[in-house]
């Protein structure tokens, strides 16, 4: 029974990690006033970078680095287009999503001669201390665990997952960065009242670009998680997660920790899809849940979500707004 | 922002926004080009000024289109060369395969048909500066509705069955489009996010209907619609089109483009939408019912997107199938942008994207067809960047930049 419950919790956490990472990335971008529909593409690029990097170097650590780098690359394009050229943020994001979808598909064919997936690769081995509790090598899907920690194997595996620890730490750090540091204050000012920031002698463009690049870091990490979970890259594997992350970010009112909490809710709904017989609650209705909740939140029926005041507006010094 | 939706027509908006008189500003604008002429040349100068203004307007509206398509095709050539294929072979294959034969061109038109509908949907909303990213979901809902009426509804005499199915598609799409409209009008919630969310909800909802009730066993498709609801396939009537999926939906799309050209450009409703696009505050000052207009714009936009499936569902396959939309709702955004939201320009714009879409299959043997997917995205990115950059050129008469030292024009700058 305990085993079943902990397995469910572990599954929810596993599903929620990429959402929470990407939602945090979205919060960085949007707190600075830049809408980031391109999260979907950033995640996909991150996943591809991770797979290609791991396959090329044999090291998942370097793979994650590649993935985050690919995320930053797409984010940098978004920043150049929206902050540099001050072009439309929504269209830039949409176009970048199309670009990455087509681009990764093309690269998949060029590099791995496949239209569906990359070759398989091994991810991280769980950190050594996990084995002490579960009593075996604790390889997912491997021999049954026998140690005292056996019922908690799923959770222990997560706690022993380097990227999980980094991601969870990163989200907490993001909360602190946004709400407890001078940079966070500048970033929020760039989204709420860029003119004041400009008046304080801080470059609005630079702060906004930094926010967008941070969304690339977190979005790329979300993609890295996906690729490592599946041990390969598959075509279009972001599967709308960027949009769910945006939804969680809105429900969490543009705050990393609250967004991550919303992601846990969405993750739980997704985990239930695999466990609840569809006669009880149809799978499709559980699939809809995040989107419906987001619309309700936007419409103000459950805890009004208000976007940063200048979200979506390029800052133009001459117009001064 | 304004310019993106409306081409170079932002001038009255600026009058409203800055609370300054239009005509005085207009005079100032027209005076700029003829500075330095004496009074006797005034008439000629004014004429030249008007011509210059018209030329600049053309540069501002057509410039980004030409530059983004041109540079995009150039970049594609570079990529093709990098892949080890000759760009000239690539382009000759691309264009002979898509435009060089009747069959190829009919395939292009078939690909262009749903894009024309979704492009019209997006453009209609854009007029009011509403961002309908939900054409995809409206297309799915509308497509399912027309298929359902087509196979489960009554068998009617020839034109009535078709009209009923089309009406069902338009109605369902309009209902789906009205949701973000209502939320935007009532609560101010962003229609961008709501339409994105509704896309996913639409797919899940229709999948549920398919899985639980309507799909044929072991498939993700419905039964075939009655023959009375069919749109004619051109291949049944023209021998050269044998095997081509092109059908009567194309005619419907062109008809709708013409109708919208009139509705958006020549009616009070169309003008109201444009005023609304300049800003809700201005529209309210003009006495327009802003909330109702938002909902109406989204209803119309949703209805157009709801009809986008007619080509596939009533003309080509004649049943609803999961994933039939293949992203037409999103490509429609690019189609509308490159047409600068003008209904008639949407026809060539949709055909261009039809070329890129079908062209992928044509060139697939020499380069990966994904190259053309990437090209579409690159053109879109280049377009929005050039659109913004050209605005910065000193082409557009700008209020507040009247010749200095001219006492006839009040000094400008921030109003105290």
């Amino acid at each position: 029974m305990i085993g079943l419950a902990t397995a469910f919790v572990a599954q929810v956490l596993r599903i929620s990690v990429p959402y929470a990472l990407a939602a945090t990335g979205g919060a960085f971008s949007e707190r600075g006033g830049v809408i980031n529909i391109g999260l979907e593409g950033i995640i996909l690029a991150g996943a591809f970078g991770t797979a290609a990097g791991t396959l090329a170097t044999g090291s998942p650590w370097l793979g994650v680095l590649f993935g985050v780098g690919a995320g930053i690359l797409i984010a940098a394009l978004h920043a150049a287009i929206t902050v540099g050229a001050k072009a439309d943020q929504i269209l830039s994001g949409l176009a970048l999503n199309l670009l990455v979808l087509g681009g990764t598909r093309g690269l998949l064919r060029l590099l791995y001669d496949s239209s569906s997936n990359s070759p398989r690769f091994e991810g991280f081995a769980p950190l050594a201390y996990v084995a002490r509790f579960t009593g075996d090598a604790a390889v997912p899907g491997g021999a049954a665990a026998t140690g005292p920690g056996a019922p908690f194997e799923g959770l222990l595996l997560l706690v022993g997952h380097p990227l999980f620890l980094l991601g969870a730490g990163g989200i907490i750090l993001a909360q602190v960065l946004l709400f407890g540091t001078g940079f966070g204050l500048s970033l929020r000012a760039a989204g709420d009242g860029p003119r004041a920031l400009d008046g304080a002698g801080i470059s609005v463009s630079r702060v906004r670009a930094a926010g967008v690049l941070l969304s690339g870091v977190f979005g790329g990490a979300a993609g890295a998680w996906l690729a490592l979970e599946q041990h390969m890259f598959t075509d279009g594997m972001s599967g709308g997660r960027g949009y769910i992350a945006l939804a969680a970010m809105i429900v969490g009112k543009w705050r990393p920790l609250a967004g991550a909490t919303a992601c846990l809710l969405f993750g739980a709904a997704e985990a239930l899809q695999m466990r609840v017989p569809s006669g009880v609650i149809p799978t499709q209705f559980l699939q809809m849940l995040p989107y419906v909740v987001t619309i309700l939140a936007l419409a103000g029926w459950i805890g009004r979500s208000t976007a940063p005041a200048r979200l979506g507006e390029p800052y133009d010094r001459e117009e001064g707004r | 922002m304004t310019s993106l939706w409306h081409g170079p027509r932002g001038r009255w908006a600026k009058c409203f926004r800055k609370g300054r008189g239009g005509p005085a500003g207009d005079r100032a604008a027209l005076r700029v080009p003829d500075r330095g002429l004496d009074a006797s040349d005034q008439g000629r100068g004014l004429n030249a000024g008007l011509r210059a203004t018209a030329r600049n307007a053309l540069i501002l509206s057509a410039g980004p289109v030409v530059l983004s398509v041109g540079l995009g095709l150039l970049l594609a050539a570079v990529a093709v060369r990098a892949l080890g294929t000759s760009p000239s072979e690539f382009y000759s294959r691309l264009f002979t395969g898509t435009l060089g034969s009747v069959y190829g061109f009919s395939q292009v038109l078939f690909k262009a048909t749903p894009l024309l509908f979704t492009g019209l949907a997006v453009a209609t909303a854009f007029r009011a500066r509403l961002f309908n990213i939900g054409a995809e979901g409206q297309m799915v809902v509308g497509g399912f509705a027309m298929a359902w009426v087509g196979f489960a509804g009554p068998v009617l005499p020839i034109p009535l069955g078709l009209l009923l199915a089309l009406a069902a598609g338009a109605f369902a799409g309009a209902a789906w489009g009205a949701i973000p409209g209502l939320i935007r009008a009532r609560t101010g919630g962003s229609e961008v996010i709501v339409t994105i969310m509704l896309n996913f909800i639409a797919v899940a909802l229709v999948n549920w209907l398919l899985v639980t009730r309507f799909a044929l066993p072991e498939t993700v498709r419905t039964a075939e619609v009655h023959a009375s609801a069919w749109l004619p396939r051109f291949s049944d009537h023209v021998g050269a089109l044998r095997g081509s999926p092109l059908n009567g939906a194309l005619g419907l799309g062109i008809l709708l483009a013409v109708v919208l050209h009139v509705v958006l450009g020549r009616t009070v409703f169309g003008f109201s939408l444009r005023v609304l696009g300049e800003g809700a505050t201005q529209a309210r000052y003009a006495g327009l019912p802003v909330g109702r207009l938002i909902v109406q714009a989204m209803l119309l936009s949703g209805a157009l997107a709801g009809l986008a499936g007619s080509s596939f569902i009533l003309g080509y396959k004649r049943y609803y199938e999961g994933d039939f939309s293949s992203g037409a709702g999103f490509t429609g955004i690019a189609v509308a942008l490159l047409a600068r939201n003008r209904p008639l320009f949407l026809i060539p714009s949709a055909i261009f994207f039809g070329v890129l879409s079908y062209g992928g299959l044509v060139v697939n043997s020499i380069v990966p067809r994904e190259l053309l997917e990437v090209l579409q995205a690159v053109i879109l990115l280049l377009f929005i960047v050039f659109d913004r950059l050209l605005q910065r050129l000193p082409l557009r008469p700008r209020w507040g930049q009247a010749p200095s030292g001219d006492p006839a024009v009040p000094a400008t700058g921030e109003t105290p």
Side-chain angles (χ1 to χ4, degrees):
Chain A
M1 196 57 216
I2 296 174
L4 210 65
T6 56
F8 181 72
V9 171
Q11 192 188 14
V12 170
L13 285 170
R14 272 180 190 276
I15 293 173
S16 307
V17 167
Y19 294 147
L21 283 171
T24 302
F28 272 119
S29 178
E30 302 219 338
R31 278 284 178 178
V34 182
I35 300 172
N36 202 344
I37 309 267
L39 268 182
E40 178 77 9
I42 290 174
I43 296 175
L44 194 58
F48 188 86
T50 304
T54 310
L55 284 165
T57 65
S59 153
W61 287 103
L62 286 175
V64 171
L65 218 58
F66 271 78
V68 170
I72 293 176
L73 185 74
I74 303 301
L77 273 174
H78 191 54
I81 292 163
T82 60
V83 182
K86 298 189 184 358
D88 187 83
Q89 301 172 354
I90 296 165
L91 293 171
S92 169
L94 284 171
L96 286 172
N97 288 345
L98 294 176
L99 182 78
V100 177
L101 189 64
T104 51
R105 210 175 268 165
L107 285 172
L108 203 52
R109 283 224 279 164
L110 285 175
L111 294 179
Y112 308 116
D113 196 26
S114 158
S115 59
S116 59
N117 58 275
S118 75
R120 206 186 138 79
F121 56 84
E122 284 309 315
F124 290 109
L127 298 180
Y129 64 83
V130 173
R132 254 190 282 156
F133 292 100
T134 54
D136 63 13
V139 180
T146 51
F152 303 97
E153 190 191 10
L155 285 176
L156 283 167
L157 278 175
L158 263 184
V159 176
H161 194 309
L163 197 56
F164 180 80
L165 298 176
L166 278 175
I171 292 167
I172 294 167
L173 205 67
Q175 178 86 12
V176 174
L177 190 62
L178 258 177
F179 295 100
T181 66
F183 169 73
L185 185 63
S186 301
L187 189 63
R188 286 180 289 135
D192 271 327
R195 204 175 182 191
L197 189 65
D198 203 8
I202 300 172
S203 159
V204 174
S205 300
R206 229 177 264 175
V207 170
R208 284 189 166 182
V212 177
L213 290 179
L214 277 169
S215 79
V217 174
F218 280 89
W225 177 272
L226 286 181
L228 286 168
E229 278 287 278
Q230 299 198 11
H231 299 277
M232 63 172 74
F233 175 85
T234 58
D235 179 30
M237 76 185 300
S238 51
R241 284 182 177 80
Y243 298 111
I244 293 203
L246 282 179
M249 175 197 74
I250 292 167
V251 174
K253 299 182 181 162
W254 288 265
R255 294 170 303 186
L257 285 181
T261 313
C263 290
L264 287 175
L265 172 74
F266 295 171
E270 199 174 318
L272 277 177
Q273 286 170 31
M274 301 165 215
R275 288 165 190 262
V276 176
S278 66
V280 184
I281 313 172
T283 332
Q284 290 85 1
F285 283 65
L286 286 170
Q287 279 168 8
M288 285 180 212
L289 186 78
Y291 311 112
V292 174
V293 169
T294 307
I295 290 178
L296 294 180
L298 263 181
W301 286 311
I302 44 166
R304 184 121 182 83
S305 287
T306 313
R310 297 297 178 200
L311 183 62
E313 294 176 13
Y315 178 68
D316 196 331
R317 230 183 193 170
E318 286 161 41
E319 283 182 24
R321 40 172 200 143
Chain B
M1 196 76 177
T2 309
S3 61
L4 197 62
W5 321 129
H6 302 285
R9 267 178 272 112
R11 340 164 90 207
W12 282 95
K14 291 228 163 171
C15 299
F16 279 123
R17 207 175 297 144
K18 298 269 159 82
R20 250 176 246 131
D26 243 325
R27 253 182 283 126
L30 292 174
R31 194 168 297 160
V32 179
D34 59 39
R35 237 183 305 170
L37 298 173
D38 20 310
S40 60
D41 281 335
Q42 205 54 280
R44 209 145 46 101
L46 190 70
N47 229 340
L50 277 174
R51 246 181 285 126
T53 309
R55 189 196 60 216
N56 290 348
L58 186 68
I59 293 177
L60 283 175
S61 65
V65 180
V66 174
L67 283 170
S68 59
V69 172
L71 190 57
L73 293 180
L74 196 69
L75 285 173
V78 173
V80 168
R81 158 79 7 116
L83 291 170
T85 311
S86 125
S88 58
E89 194 196 342
F90 168 74
Y91 278 118
S92 75
R93 270 206 197 202
L94 178 61
F95 289 116
T96 50
T98 54
L99 304 175
S101 74
V102 176
Y103 176 79
F105 191 57
S106 80
Q107 283 280 6
V108 167
L109 290 178
F110 173 70
K111 295 274 186 195
T113 304
L115 300 180
L116 182 54
F117 285 94
T118 53
L120 285 169
V122 173
T124 302
F126 265 162
R127 281 286 171 125
R129 213 201 280 173
L130 290 165
F131 222 134
N132 184 7
I133 305 186
E136 186 79 11
Q138 291 143 20
M139 181 177 175
V140 166
V141 172
F144 186 79
M146 68 174 72
W148 180 65
V149 166
F151 66 74
V155 182
L156 296 169
I158 285 289
L160 289 180
L162 176 61
L163 287 177
L164 185 69
L166 290 174
F171 185 82
W176 211 245
I179 299 171
L182 282 169
I183 289 175
R184 174 70 195 270
R186 287 278 172 84
T187 72
S190 156
E191 81 281 3
V192 174
I193 302 294
V194 176
T195 48
I196 290 176
M197 301 296 136
L198 280 172
N199 284 341
F200 291 102
I201 297 177
V203 171
L205 190 68
V206 169
N207 277 345
W208 177 68
L209 289 171
L210 275 179
V211 170
T212 52
R213 287 205 49 190
F214 296 108
L216 300 182
E218 311 288 319
T219 67
V220 286
R221 48 158 284 203
T222 64
E224 198 167 277
V225 298
H226 304 316
S228 66
W230 288 1
L231 279 162
R233 269 189 217 138
F234 294 159
S235 57
D236 294 343
H237 306 280
V238 184
L241 292 177
R242 184 196 295 272
S244 160
L246 189 62
N247 59 71
L250 176 69
L252 180 65
I254 292 172
L255 182 73
L256 282 173
V258 174
V259 169
L260 274 166
H261 173 70
V262 176
V263 168
L264 294 181
R266 304 270 184 279
T267 65
V268 175
F269 172 68
F271 183 71
S272 306
L273 286 191
R274 199 185 290 169
V275 175
L276 178 59
E278 301 288 5
T281 320
Q282 289 90 316
R284 231 168 252 127
Y285 273 126
L288 295 173
V290 169
R292 203 165 72 203
L293 274 174
I294 289 176
V295 177
Q296 284 171 346
M298 287 305 294
L299 274 171
L300 180 56
S301 180
L304 290 162
L307 287 170
S310 59
S311 173
F312 185 94
I313 288 161
L314 303 180
Y316 173 43
K317 293 278 182 151
R318 291 164 176 167
Y319 51 75
Y320 180 96
E321 189 175 29
D323 284 338
F324 80 103
S325 63
S326 56
F330 294 109
T331 315
I333 296 169
V335 172
L337 280 177
L338 256 66
R340 309 231 63 139
N341 305 322
R342 315 271 182 91
L344 292 183
F345 289 174
L346 274 163
I347 299 169
S349 181
I351 291 174
F352 174 67
F353 279 91
V355 167
L356 295 185
S357 173
Y358 181 64
L361 300 174
V362 174
V363 298
N364 199 26
S365 56
I366 51 172
V367 290
R369 67 167 180 275
E370 289 81 9
L371 183 71
L372 286 173
E373 289 174 31
V374 173
L375 176 60
Q376 295 185 22
V378 167
I379 288 176
L380 186 53
L381 286 174
L382 290 171
F383 174 85
I384 60 174
V385 169
F386 280 125
D387 188 59
R388 188 72 199 188
L389 292 182
L390 288 188
Q391 297 295 324
R392 300 220 192 134
L393 296 178
L395 289 175
R396 183 217 282 248
R398 295 183 69 168
W399 314 121
Q401 291 193 346
S404 54
D406 187 343
V409 182
T412 50
E414 274 314 299
T415 338

